[in-house]
Amino acid sequence: MSKEIRLNGVDWQFKTDVGDLLVKKSQVINDGLIEFCKEARLDSNRHAGDMHLACSVPTIVVEKWLREGFDIYAPDVTAAQIVARLKRENLDAFVATNKRL
């Protein structure tokens, strides 16, 4: 890998406006994660044994999905469902395999 993978934590910003509290959450995702997933996807045609990386989902996306009612940590959620949701939301850059799950 040529680039270092660093994910900063989720950044919370608070603002009050006329009695309301506004919260903005963000996360910096550097090119290293995108490159890592791309290289893993290109390398996914090799035999991987019992374990295989399907995707790498940033915390901010996991939190968004939780608010929408989709919990990737639920025991009945499969890697195929997570990858399908990434693709449906045009977040293909976080998919790390070309294999069918």
Side-chain angles (χ1 to χ4, degrees):
M1 293 293 141
S2 58
K3 297 193 180 213
E4 178 184 350
I5 299 172
R6 280 190 347 261
L7 288 183
N8 297 328
V10 176
D11 182 39
W12 294 64
Q13 296 176 348
F14 299 92
K15 180 181 177 184
T16 56
D17 186 19
V18 191
D20 292 330
L21 176 64
L22 306 171
V23 179
K24 177 183 176 185
K25 292 169 65 173
S26 60
Q27 182 179 21
V28 175
I29 300 168
N30 72 1
D31 292 338
L33 176 63
I34 305 299
E35 277 299 311
F36 172 78
C37 289
K38 181 180 178 182
E39 289 177 19
R41 196 169 44 251
L42 293 173
D43 202 33
S44 67
N45 295 326
R46 291 187 316 143
H47 179 66
D50 292 339
M51 299 295 282
H52 186 75
L53 178 65
C55 59
S56 184
V57 185
T59 303
I60 200 74
V61 175
V62 173
E63 290 181 357
K64 173 187 171 286
W65 287 352
L66 281 171
R67 287 191 307 274
E68 295 170 353
F70 182 68
D71 181 3
I72 69 170
Y73 301 114
D76 60 331
V77 173
T78 65
Q81 290 172 311
I82 296 168
V83 168
R85 189 169 184 118
L86 284 169
K87 289 179 179 181
R88 191 169 52 249
E89 295 186 14
N90 295 320
L91 298 172
D92 301 63
F94 301 120
V95 176
T97 187
N98 284 326
K99 291 188 177 194
R100 185 172 163 206
L101 302 173

